Amino acid sequence: NGDPEEMEGGGATAPAAPHPAVAPLAFLLGKWRGEGEGSFPTISPFRYGEELLFSHHPSKPVISYTQRTWKAASGEPMHAESGYWRPRPDGSVEVVISQSTGLAEVQKGSFDAEKKTVTLQSELVGNASKVKQITRAFQLVDGELTYVVQMATITTSLQPHLKALLKKI
Ligand code: HEM
């Protein structure tokens, strides 16, 4: 796979200490790659490959986020999204995400720097024909990044759509 994801803030050569606001979420920073499984009551289950990049500049209290996915079997691109994570000193975090499908999300939630977890719930889901609600839960487990994304739609209550396990690369 190519690497089109070199965003602003990701190009520094010498590692610098993150901004103090970002430091509690430093466990996310860097590039991650792995595989996931998608499901929902209304669709056939599927497997996908995924790459995540969390980058930052030490002068800004924000983490830039990009994700891309591809079909596990063929490598053909699937869903992609990108956005910004804004952690706060009180342990709350707000995230904005724009998805390749046109959907826009504002997520709010909290993080635990010791347990290395972040949990998010949608405060706003915009420009979506079916999706009513999205939750995202991330956790670092033995150095690997795991997450579960759940959604509720106009026909289906909140339940898992995506689960993945990614290694730092
Ligand atoms: C289906 C939303 C992420 C792949 C769907 C459906 C919705 C949806 C609303 C249709 C469900 C129904 O008709 O009842 C979302 C949202 C996402 C997300 C809100 C992120 C928060 C992803 C990702 C992938 C993916 C990352 C691929 C890696 C699929 C596939 C289907 C599907 C293959 C079934 C086929 C299709 O309808 O196109 N998704 N999705 N989705 N999603 Fe996602």
Side-chain angles (χ1 to χ4, degrees):
N1 288 303
D3 180 17
E5 310 288 15
E6 289 304 326
M7 303 280 295
E8 69 279 18
T13 47
H19 189 283
V22 166
L25 289 185
F27 67 90
L28 289 175
L29 296 174
K31 193 180 276 191
W32 301 85
R33 192 177 291 159
E35 290 186 354
E37 293 177 8
S39 62
F40 206 61
T42 51
I43 67 172
S44 302
F46 60 94
R47 297 187 61 80
Y48 62 95
E50 176 169 47
E51 194 171 279
L52 296 184
L53 176 65
F54 291 95
S55 59
H56 80 296
H57 189 281
S59 69
K60 293 286 185 200
V62 60
I63 298 171
S64 298
Y65 161 77
T66 60
Q67 177 244 39
R68 65 192 179 96
T69 62
W70 55 88
K71 291 186 179 176
S74 65
E76 184 187 330
M78 295 181 84
H79 178 110
E81 61 188 34
S82 64
Y84 297 96
W85 294 48
R86 304 184 63 89
R88 303 280 165 113
D90 66 357
S92 66
V93 55
E94 59 176 64
V95 178
V96 294
I97 295 176
S98 61
Q99 300 192 5
S100 56
T101 53
L103 185 152
E105 278 175 76
V106 175
Q107 296 269 350
K108 293 211 174 153
S110 59
F111 62 82
D112 185 320
E114 287 186 3
K115 291 183 183 154
K116 296 186 166 45
T117 58
V118 183
T119 57
L120 302 170
Q121 301 190 38
S122 53
E123 180 176 272
L124 179 152
V125 173
N127 200 36
S129 55
K130 292 182 176 170
V131 181
K132 304 300 279 182
Q133 195 189 347
I134 300 167
T135 68
R136 296 172 180 258
F138 292 79
Q139 183 171 19
L140 198 73
V141 180
D142 297 333
E144 299 190 332
L145 187 62
T146 67
Y147 72 77
V148 177
V149 171
Q150 301 197 80
M151 67 176 171
T153 66
I154 47 176
T155 62
T156 309
S157 63
L158 189 71
Q159 48 205 294
H161 183 36
L162 308 167
K163 293 181 185 187
L165 178 63
L166 305 134
K167 292 186 198 314
K168 190 83 160 274
I169 60 167

